[in-house]
């Protein structure tokens, strides 16, 4: 019978150790017993950027990067995008099961009735410069919510946690839309409880003096984009959420940290960068020269919206978005940058550089084109990512708090700096 264990021989000492294997992993702490002598600290693993380290056990989201599979709580993303709503998906991520009809009604009612924000938030936003990036405003206002709800600190109390989860999912579209209105110099538009989650967000964004009737096609497209972005297991921003949350910070502060992580151009800022890249390329004729630049830049110039740490195949979310683009463009008119994007994808997928490195379009390659056609300015793209991802962050945050294996996150290091030395007073330093 094969044993679920690993035998390690330390060639420094000739000693052998047996380490159990569970769920395809060994516990890094089990390596600590591998020592050259009693004084030795013991062996550690070195894994910058956590490319091969599981930081938690999770039951929320499953990804098979080689096969291009993404499931939330076991449900394939394609089925959720085809048949689900964003709020059902958020409920599923948080509770493990799709809501019954009664639960869905209650959940939708509760979210709808928490969409207002304290009036002081408007004053906070007014303090930002006229051209402040909305992601900076979103991050700050989400962090500020912790000061309005000090009871949120009680993260060990499930009922308190659940109230903050409702508030965050409900208020984040309001904060996002308010940030946009500040950027545009428009009066803030209040939530409308008669509308669904996405329609309400669209009206808070785009309503002018005579009200706003969102196109059902655009409302559904936003719903699908929100479903696709709701969770993606242990990515950079989710790890930030779990990392900050592990110190038992309140969920508003932890979510603000996750938004900060999402802001980076290698993560949620990528769809913004895709649009800027397509604009810079400017025409189909310029694509070969751009691809040459990417290939010869030694990794400095990247084809934004391509490549993924986990997917080494076509990102299943990108497939869904690409299909949906046609429906959206029927309503909004075709985004002229789409032709450049399609040609760029075609050329890249045939190019040995991208094939060899398994670089395929990720979720961000086409999402920005749709957002732009819907009327969202480029600065809003990462904000549009943060709204639905809040549900995933909160599901992962709560799972972390309930996980008996978890403690405050505190990685080790390999110290390679100076050995102990004596302080030299300034006058003696030359
Ligand atoms: N364009 C050109 N080359 C690339 C790209 C790209 N987009 N992505 C990776 N490569 C190359 C790297 O230069 C490297 O080449 P090398 O082996 O010759 O050095 C190789 O492919 C492996 O790249 P890594 O950086 O090691 O891959 P990693 O897993 O660390 O990075 C990442 C993943 C950050 C997403 C990367 O592919 C990238 O920068 N993509 C562009 C930004 C982007 O679209 N981000 C969105 C990701 S999805 C999301 O966050 C929602």
């Amino acid at each position: 019978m094969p044993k679920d264990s690993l035998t390690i021989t330390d060639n420094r000492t000739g000693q052998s150790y047996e380490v159990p294997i569970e769920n395809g992993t060994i516990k890094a702490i089990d390596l600590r017993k591998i020592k050259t002598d009693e004084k030795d600290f013991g062996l550690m693993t070195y894994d910058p950027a956590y490319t091969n380290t599981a930081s938690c056990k999770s039951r929320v989201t499953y990804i098979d990067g080689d096969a291009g599979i993404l499931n939330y709580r076991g449900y394939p993303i394609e089925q959720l995008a085809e048949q689900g709503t964003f709020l059902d998906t958020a409920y599923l991520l948080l509770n493990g099961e799709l809501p019954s009809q009664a639960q869905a009604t209650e959940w939708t009612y509760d979210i709808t009735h928490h969409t207002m924000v304290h009036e002081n938030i408007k004053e906070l936003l007014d303090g930002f410069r006229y051209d402040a990036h909305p992601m900076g405003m979103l991050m700050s206002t989400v962090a500020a919510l912790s000061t309005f709800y000090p009871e949120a600190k009680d993260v060990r109390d499930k009922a308190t946690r659940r109230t903050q989860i409702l508030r965050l999912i409900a208020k984040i579209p309001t904060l996002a839309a308010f940030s946009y209105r500040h950027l545009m110099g428009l009066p803030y538009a209040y939530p409308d409880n008669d509308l669904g989650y996405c329609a309400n967000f669209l009206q808070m964004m785009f309503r002018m003096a005579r009200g706003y009737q969102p196109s059902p096609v655009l409302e559904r497209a936003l719903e699908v984009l929100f479903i696709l972005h709701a969770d993606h297991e242990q990515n950079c921003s989710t790890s930030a959420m779990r990392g900050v949350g592990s110190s038992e910070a309140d969920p508003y502060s932890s979510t603000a940290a996750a938004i900060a992580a999402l802001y980076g151009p290698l993560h949620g800022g990528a769809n913004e960068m895709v649009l800027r890249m397509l604009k810079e390329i400017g025409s189909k004729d310029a694509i070969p020269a751009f691809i040459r630049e990417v290939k010869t830049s030694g990794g400095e110039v990247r084809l934004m919206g391509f490549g993924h740490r986990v997917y080494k195949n076509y990102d299943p979310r990108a497939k869904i978005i690409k299909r949906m683009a046609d429906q959206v463009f029927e309503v909004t008119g075709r985004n002229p940058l789409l032709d450049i994007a399609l040609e760029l994808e075609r050329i890249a997928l045939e190019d040995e550089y991208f094939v060899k490195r398994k670089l395929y379009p990720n979720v961000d390659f086409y999402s920005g084109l749709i957002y732009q056609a819907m009327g969202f300015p480029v600065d809003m793209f990462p904000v549009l990512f943060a709204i639905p991802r809040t549900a995933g962050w909160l599901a992962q945050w709560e799972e972390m708090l309930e996980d008996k294996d978890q403690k405050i996150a505190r990685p080790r290091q390999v110290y390679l700096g100076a050995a102990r030395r004596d302080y030299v007073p300034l006058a003696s330093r030359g």
Side-chain angles (χ1 to χ4, degrees):
M1 264 292 272
K3 264 173 100 180
D4 275 339
S5 69
L6 181 74
T7 301
I8 302 167
T9 303
D10 185 347
N11 293 322
R12 300 171 300 178
T13 59
Q15 234 182 304
S16 278
Y17 302 83
E18 191 173 348
V19 177
I21 296 177
E22 198 189 318
N23 301 316
T25 64
I26 58 164
K27 288 202 173 92
I29 198 75
D30 285 346
L31 301 178
R32 190 72 75 71
K33 63 186 176 194
I34 303 178
K35 298 178 177 204
T36 49
D37 55 53
E38 265 319 295
K39 284 205 188 116
D40 186 4
F41 181 75
L43 207 61
M44 293 190 294
T45 55
Y46 174 60
D47 189 10
Y50 308 117
T51 53
N52 198 38
T53 294
S55 63
C56 61
K57 293 174 184 160
S58 183
R59 292 180 167 78
V60 182
T61 289
Y62 172 79
I63 303 176
D64 181 335
D66 292 324
I69 291 171
L70 168 62
N71 300 339
Y72 296 159
R73 301 277 189 188
Y75 292 103
I77 192 68
E78 293 81 3
Q79 292 182 22
L80 290 164
E82 179 80 25
Q83 300 170 59
T85 65
F86 170 69
L87 282 188
D88 275 5
T89 305
Y91 185 99
L92 170 72
L93 288 168
L94 284 155
N95 298 290
E97 297 298 334
L98 285 165
S100 66
Q101 282 185 28
Q103 287 165 334
T105 305
E106 190 186 342
W107 172 241
T108 305
Y109 179 91
D110 286 346
I111 295 283
T112 307
H113 288 82
H114 279 90
T115 45
M116 285 281 187
V117 294
H118 195 287
E119 286 289 288
N120 285 8
I121 289 284
K122 292 198 313 196
E123 285 168 41
L124 177 61
L125 281 167
D126 287 343
F128 281 93
R129 283 182 62 112
Y130 69 95
D131 59 351
H133 196 290
M135 197 67 161
M137 291 190 269
L138 181 72
M139 198 190 313
S140 307
T141 47
V142 167
L145 288 184
S146 72
T147 66
F148 292 89
Y149 306 111
E151 74 275 16
K153 284 188 176 62
D154 194 3
V155 297
R156 290 285 161 206
D157 182 70
K158 184 150 183 135
T160 307
R161 274 203 313 261
R162 285 285 151 156
T163 306
Q164 315 320 314
I165 286 173
L166 274 179
R167 285 179 172 147
L168 264 160
I169 294 176
K171 291 182 200 308
I172 199 150
T174 313
L175 297 176
F178 277 22
S179 303
Y180 167 78
R181 307 281 292 201
H182 175 80
L183 179 69
M184 302 305 285
L186 291 166
Y188 302 113
Y190 285 93
D192 180 342
N193 285 0
D194 292 333
L195 297 175
Y197 194 80
C198 292
N200 176 47
F201 173 58
L202 287 169
Q203 76 80 22
M204 286 191 289
M205 285 283 304
F206 298 123
R207 192 177 72 203
M208 289 300 175
R210 306 197 80 190
Y212 173 79
Q213 199 54 46
S215 138
V217 173
L218 300 190
E219 188 185 337
R220 181 63 201 164
L222 191 64
E223 188 102 39
V224 172
L225 284 160
F226 278 5
I227 293 169
L228 299 181
H229 285 86
D231 195 50
H232 213 232
E233 52 117 313
Q234 308 312 315
N235 53 80
C236 180
S237 54
T238 303
S239 300
M241 179 89 191
R242 280 181 175 259
V244 173
S246 77
S247 74
E248 301 197 356
D250 68 82
Y252 303 103
S253 304
S254 301
T255 303
I259 293 172
L262 190 69
Y263 198 0
L266 298 187
H267 192 14
N271 52 12
E272 185 173 344
M273 299 306 283
V274 170
L275 257 271
R276 296 197 197 284
M277 173 190 75
L278 293 174
K279 248 187 163 163
E280 221 173 283
I281 295 173
S283 74
K284 285 207 265 182
D285 306 342
I287 293 174
F290 177 72
I291 295 273
R292 257 196 312 280
E293 198 188 342
V294 169
K295 288 178 359 182
T296 53
S297 73
E300 211 147 281
V301 182
R302 295 204 161 196
L303 176 47
M304 298 312 285
F306 257 66
H308 199 276
R309 172 61 59 75
V310 179
Y311 293 119
K312 302 302 168 195
N313 199 327
Y314 214 105
D315 183 333
R317 301 167 299 174
K319 266 189 203 158
I320 297 169
I321 295 176
K322 194 177 167 184
R323 276 200 304 269
M324 203 171 67
D326 289 331
Q327 294 162 25
V328 171
F329 295 151
E330 254 176 48
V331 176
T332 62
R334 195 175 165 84
N335 187 329
L337 295 177
L338 178 68
D339 293 325
I340 301 177
L342 288 169
E343 183 65 0
L344 196 53
E345 179 191 331
R346 190 190 66 75
I347 293 179
L349 291 183
E350 285 174 359
D351 191 294
E352 203 226 330
Y353 175 95
F354 296 91
V355 173
K356 203 171 96 197
R357 289 170 178 76
K358 299 191 175 162
L359 300 170
Y360 291 87
N362 60 48
V363 67
D364 287 324
F365 194 66
Y366 288 106
S367 62
L369 290 169
I370 296 187
Y371 288 141
Q372 193 181 48
M374 288 171 78
F376 291 104
V378 175
D379 281 355
M380 279 300 285
F381 294 0
V383 171
L384 290 162
F385 194 153
I387 295 171
R389 184 56 60 87
T390 298
W393 289 329
L394 290 166
Q396 301 269 353
W397 167 74
E398 197 168 46
E399 185 179 65
M400 181 266 306
L401 287 170
E402 287 180 343
D403 182 347
K404 298 270 178 287
D405 284 354
Q406 293 294 336
K407 302 170 180 221
I408 184 167
R410 199 334 180 162
R412 292 277 175 183
Q413 65 167 3
V414 179
Y415 179 70
L416 299 175
R420 185 200 176 281
R421 47 188 174 158
D422 288 325
Y423 182 78
V424 181
L426 182 60
S428 317
R429 278 182 232 156

